């Protein structure tokens, strides 16, 4: 596996995976992120998040400990080029002022979730954030009504309810239309 990208891009992607990759778990592979070509993926077996990275070069697969590589990436200057190479159970992170050897796990151990048909959409982040902020007070947090714990995205509408009130954002969030 070989990935070449900017430190700021890598750090940003790894920070977005923080809520998904649990710090403590009984399955070691769940503490890692999967580098698959120009994408980095994290999971806790309930949620899987994959982020595409703009990369100069990207090929192969490897699993590297999330916290270790995030702590390393945070300390690399943002405009510096980072090269991650992995083979077997070892990964090497190289940049202008250093080289670090990290443990890696085989990508074949990564848990695959079968989610059925996937549709990719491009959305306007600011409109989407605005719509989520509008409906957020209506999202249920009750454990007994777990089916209301979330947001429905349908035909450009963002909808949430807790069973007593409902929030609907009709802002026409671009990219969510069917």
């Amino acid at each position: 596996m070989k990935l070449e990208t900017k430190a700021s891009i890598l750090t940003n992607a790894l920070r977005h995976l923080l809520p998904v990759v649990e710090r403590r778990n009984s399955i070691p592979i769940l503490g890692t992120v999967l580098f698959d070509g120009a994408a980095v993926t994290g999971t806790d077996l309930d949620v899987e998040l994959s982020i595409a990275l703009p990369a100069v070069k990207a090929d192969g697969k490897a699993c590297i400990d999330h916290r270790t590589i995030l702590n390393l990436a945070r300390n690399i200057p943002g405009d510096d080029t980072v090269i991650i190479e992995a083979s077997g159970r070892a990964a090497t992170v190289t940049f202008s002022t250093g080289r670090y050897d990290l443990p890696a796990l085989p990508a074949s151990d990564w848990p695959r979730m079968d989610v059925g048909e996937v549709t990719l959409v491009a959305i306007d982040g600011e409109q989407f954030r605005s719509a989520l902020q509008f409906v957020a007070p209506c999202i249920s947090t009750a454990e007994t009504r777990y089916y209301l714990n979330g947001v429905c995205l349908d035909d450009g509408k963002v909808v949430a309810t807790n069973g007593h009130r409902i929030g609907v954002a009709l802002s026409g969030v671009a990219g969510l239309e069917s």
Side-chain angles (χ1 to χ4, degrees):
M1 178 231 130
K2 184 170 185 175
L3 173 70
E4 185 174 341
T5 188
K6 293 288 184 190
S8 59
I9 293 169
L10 179 63
T11 303
N12 194 26
L14 292 170
R15 280 186 180 149
H16 280 88
L17 293 175
L18 272 171
V20 178
V21 181
E22 294 180 9
R23 181 180 295 251
R24 295 184 181 141
N25 52 59
S26 58
I27 305 170
I29 197 77
L30 296 179
T32 67
V33 289
L34 173 67
F35 287 92
D36 185 359
V40 60
T41 305
T43 186
D44 64 0
L45 294 181
D46 286 327
V47 177
E48 181 176 283
L49 178 61
S50 185
I51 300 171
L53 302 172
V56 175
K57 182 174 184 175
D59 61 339
K61 295 181 182 183
C63 295
I64 302 172
D65 184 71
H66 177 250
R67 300 288 173 173
T68 305
I69 197 160
L70 174 60
N71 289 335
L72 178 60
R74 282 180 176 159
N75 292 305
I76 301 172
D79 59 340
D80 211 348
T81 299
V82 177
I83 300 170
I84 303 171
E85 294 178 289
S87 61
R89 293 192 163 265
T92 302
V93 179
T94 309
F95 49 97
S96 67
T97 58
R99 175 179 174 234
Y100 288 83
D101 294 322
L102 306 174
L105 293 174
S108 59
D109 290 351
W110 184 260
R112 289 287 173 196
M113 290 198 270
D114 183 22
V115 293
E117 185 179 331
V118 175
T119 304
L120 298 176
V121 296
I123 59 173
D124 178 358
E126 196 52 46
Q127 280 186 334
F128 188 56
R129 179 192 326 246
S130 167
L132 286 176
Q133 286 176 338
F134 180 78
V135 301
C138 299
I139 298 172
S140 177
T141 57
E143 291 181 22
T144 56
R145 300 179 80 184
Y146 59 87
Y147 45 87
L148 298 178
N149 296 354
V151 176
C152 176
L153 309 174
D154 184 41
D155 289 331
K157 295 182 285 289
V158 179
V159 182
T161 185
N162 62 6
H164 300 285
R165 58 186 173 199
I166 189 167
V168 180
L170 300 172
S171 63
V173 178
L176 295 179
E177 290 84 12
S178 315

